[in-house]
Amino acid sequence: GKPRVVVVGGGAGGATAARYIAKDSKGAIDVTLIEPTRMYYTCFFSNLYLGGFKEIDDLGHSYGGLAAGGVNVVHDWATGVDREAKTVALAGGGSLPYDKLILSPGIDFVDGAVEGWDLSAQNAMPHAYKGGSQTELLKAQLMAMPEGGTFAMVAPPNPYRCPPGPYERVSMVAHYLKANNPTAKIIVADPKEKFSKQSLFQEGWANHYEGMIDWIGADFGGGNVSVDPNAMTVTIDGEVTNVDVCNVIPAMKAGRIAELAGVTDGNWAPVNAADMSSKADGDIHVLGDAAHQGDMPKSGYSANSQAKVCANAVRGALTGSKIFPAKFSNTCWSLIDTNDGVKVGATYEATEEKIAKVDGFISATGEAADLRRATYEESEGWYAGITADMFG
Ligand code: FAD
């Protein structure tokens, strides 16, 4: 029969890989995608939804285009991998055989990462770091804040998905509050000493949201934090604060199926840069946030870029088609305020050891308004492009 590829996870990495393998092999490879949700809500641009620049429906994408493109879409959870038998078990019963397995399950949270918080507290104190209902919940809580209330964020330690994500979120929350609740305050407890695009964000916060945002980094005790979801308090370096919203973004690890497949080492799954194959098993590939790959940040752009390299390599291995040298790229855009967009990005290549950065760029402080607007417009084009590339 035809060679079989099973892809676990229909997000930035998995949807792209499934679509490219099906499309480029023109039916020569049997491709099955396992994904529990019927609509994928992007985390990318979810901060713009918090800020009021997007509607929730703008973020949702269905799998109909992938099915039409020849991918066998199975809406279920993968619950285990038998590497001897080369099968993937499904929560709904039964199992699927594979010749090559691609895992792109995104992230899960490290247990006990923030004192006082666990998954049972995610309604009182949402993470909104997986797309969909959590994002909507955080927005509802933001809109329900009392006049002059306090929005707290507990920021995550490195490495985590979307390095500028928490700080774009702070900007978008501030944008919303400035218009709707201007005496409200934002406090950020951060276990890091510095963060992505820090000078750009801090310049923007001073320009647009003066006095609203109190960022407490590691040097000021930001890493010494606990929360009480019942009392709605946050304790930072011994000081207890009553808060109205508390966005807890805990430390992250690879989506659990990677661990169940036995391809993780610590929190993440080490891969070979040339084809994203697992260092533990050459017939399993790990993409996106779950992978420990080298210099690329964990982003949707990165996952999509890695998926194309992987799809080309898997197709080559299964059908003998030409394999091109691995090249990767990434850009992370962030919106600070209306038409005030900034970006950071780089190109990468595969070395023996890792995905290694070749060249990079970053927006500068003090840029002209028209350049910032052009950067924001570029991000709109990227969103349309990547979602079409993922879902057809
Ligand atoms: P995901 O896209 O999360 O996909 C994983 C999928 O796997 C999910 O659909 C899940 O349901 C499924 N899954 C998990 N376990 C199983 C299982 N056992 N069986 C079956 N399916 C399973 N990136 C950017 O490039 N640009 C941005 O502007 C940007 N902004 C962001 C803002 C925020 C607030 C956040 C949180 C993230 C942002 N990101 C951004 C990061 C981006 O969302 C992730 O890096 C990207 O989604 C990673 O792709 P992935 O394929 O690894 O995981």
Side-chain angles (χ1 to χ4, degrees):
K2 289 185 201 173
R4 283 179 291 222
V5 172
V6 172
V7 181
V8 175
T16 307
R19 180 165 170 268
Y20 272 74
I21 294 170
K23 176 169 76 70
D24 294 343
S25 74
K26 302 185 173 65
I29 299 175
D30 202 46
V31 183
T32 297
L33 174 68
I34 309 172
E35 164 61 50
T37 66
R38 279 164 173 76
M39 286 286 272
Y40 176 83
Y41 286 90
T42 59
C43 283
F44 21 110
F45 276 22
S46 66
N47 291 325
L48 276 63
Y49 159 73
L50 295 178
F53 293 87
K54 298 285 166 200
E55 301 296 327
I56 194 72
D57 288 345
D58 297 336
L59 307 179
H61 305 271
S62 79
Y63 291 92
L66 282 177
V71 176
N72 176 31
V73 181
V74 175
H75 288 301
D76 205 342
W77 287 95
T79 52
V81 176
D82 183 336
R83 281 163 48 189
E84 290 289 304
K86 296 178 84 170
T87 58
V88 180
L90 300 175
S95 67
L96 292 167
Y98 66 83
D99 295 298
K100 298 283 182 190
L101 174 63
I102 299 173
L103 302 177
S104 195
I107 53 111
D108 274 312
F109 300 110
V110 173
D111 286 334
V114 175
E115 195 186 326
W117 192 94
D118 63 27
L119 272 183
S120 72
Q122 73 170 9
N123 266 36
M125 294 187 169
H127 50 79
Y129 237 66
K130 297 187 181 190
S133 52
Q134 275 280 304
T135 316
E136 289 185 272
L137 176 62
L138 186 62
K139 173 85 182 246
Q141 293 183 353
L142 173 64
M143 292 173 72
M145 272 174 68
E147 196 183 322
T150 300
F151 181 104
M153 173 188 282
V154 178
N158 291 318
Y160 60 94
R161 65 170 22 166
C162 198
Y167 312 98
E168 181 186 54
R169 178 172 291 172
V170 165
S171 308
M172 291 291 94
V173 166
H175 173 85
Y176 174 87
L177 291 173
K178 187 177 172 182
N180 297 285
N181 190 348
T183 56
K185 291 268 179 290
I186 300 171
I187 52 175
V188 184
D190 204 323
K192 302 182 292 301
E193 279 165 21
K194 53 190 173 56
F195 59 85
S196 175
K197 294 187 273 197
Q198 182 165 355
S199 56
L200 295 166
F201 281 114
Q202 288 185 327
E203 176 192 55
W205 295 348
N207 286 343
H208 302 294
Y209 313 119
E210 204 200 335
M212 273 183 99
I213 301 164
D214 185 9
W215 177 77
I216 304 166
D219 294 342
F220 301 92
N224 179 16
V225 59
S226 65
V227 298
D228 184 336
N230 295 315
M232 284 303 286
T233 56
V234 178
T235 305
I236 304 169
D237 213 21
E239 192 180 321
V240 184
T241 306
N242 291 305
V243 299
D244 299 290
V245 180
C246 189
N247 175 208
V248 176
I249 310 174
M252 293 167 209
K253 61 180 184 179
R256 175 130 170 85
I257 191 68
E259 190 183 329
L260 294 172
V263 296
T264 51
D265 179 8
N267 286 339
W268 310 100
V271 295
N272 298 300
D275 61 357
M276 304 301 292
S277 62
S278 161
K279 294 210 166 163
D281 185 330
D283 290 325
I284 300 183
H285 299 251
V286 184
L287 304 178
D289 295 348
H292 178 71
Q293 35 71 19
D295 295 349
M296 296 188 87
K298 298 182 186 301
S299 75
Y301 196 136
S302 294
N304 172 260
S305 178
Q306 293 161 13
K308 293 184 211 179
V309 166
C310 174
N312 180 251
V314 164
R315 214 158 50 78
L318 295 177
T319 68
S321 63
K322 184 168 165 44
I323 301 178
F324 297 95
K327 287 200 174 3
F328 308 87
S329 55
N330 176 64
T331 303
C332 288
W333 287 271
S334 302
L335 188 61
I336 298 176
D337 198 353
T338 309
N339 289 321
D340 191 0
V342 293
K343 63 180 173 179
V344 59
T347 56
Y348 306 84
E349 66 186 10
T351 66
E352 274 296 300
E353 186 203 347
K354 63 172 185 175
I355 297 182
K357 182 172 168 179
V358 178
D359 250 324
F361 56 87
I362 184 165
S363 299
T365 52
E367 281 174 346
D370 57 348
L371 177 54
R372 290 296 177 88
R373 175 196 286 264
T375 301
Y376 170 62
E377 284 166 359
E378 198 180 77
S379 76
E380 291 270 8
W382 167 78
Y383 186 91
I386 190 177
T387 50
D389 207 36
M390 289 165 65
F391 298 108

